[in-house]
Amino acid sequence: MKRFYLIGFTLLLAFDTLNLLCFKAAGAHALPLEMSTAWLARVFSHPWVYGAIAGYIGAFVTWMSLLKHAPIGPAFAASHLEVVTAMALSWWVFAEPVTTTQVVGALVIVTGIVCLAFAEGSGEAAKNHLAPHEV
């Protein structure tokens, strides 16, 4: 089951990050905003929009598959790791500035998710040591 979670959450992270970065790239071509078919044609002529759509669909399917087995608390927290990866990749791809405060916040997010994962693991271990009538 650990392999399922590792692959599943890695895929979810990849799809969510792809989605965010593609929206960022697509947004650069979408402005100025207009309500016209010419604007729609301009937006949908860039491949980044399709990357964003693929990222959304991939993340949705992966998330639904994970929720079938994963406990909701740690799964929900882990599903937000894209905040960290999007920040790191935005710095690298788009040359966006990253402040010390943002790095500290990213470390807090990762630390919190690791703590939730360990808590879930020790909770499962305690549950396995209890007799069936104690569960």
Side-chain angles (χ1 to χ4, degrees):
M1 193 56 98
K2 280 185 176 183
R3 179 183 242 179
F4 172 79
Y5 289 147
L6 182 65
I7 292 171
F9 281 108
T10 302
L11 269 175
L12 182 63
L13 182 62
F15 282 128
D16 278 337
T17 303
L18 171 73
N19 172 32
L20 292 172
L21 293 180
C22 286
F23 263 124
K24 169 73 176 176
H29 301 287
L31 296 176
L33 183 65
E34 301 168 17
M35 289 308 224
S36 67
T37 53
W39 179 79
L40 284 173
R42 180 167 40 103
V43 167
F44 284 99
S45 69
H46 292 281
W48 300 115
V49 171
Y50 302 103
I53 292 169
Y56 256 130
I57 293 170
F60 177 79
V61 171
T62 306
W63 181 234
M64 290 299 115
S65 300
L66 282 167
L67 282 181
K68 189 173 181 179
H69 303 286
I72 188 70
F76 188 72
S79 71
H80 290 83
L81 268 174
E82 83 273 7
V83 173
V84 176
T85 57
M87 180 186 71
L89 287 174
S90 293
W91 170 77
W92 183 51
V93 175
F94 301 114
E96 291 188 351
V98 175
T99 65
T100 304
T101 306
Q102 290 172 310
V103 172
V104 170
L107 291 173
V108 168
I109 290 171
V110 172
T111 303
I113 291 170
V114 169
C115 287
L116 285 171
F118 278 124
E120 185 63 32
S122 62
E124 286 293 320
K127 212 188 281 183
N128 291 337
H129 285 51
L130 294 174
H133 68 279
E134 295 175 309
V135 176

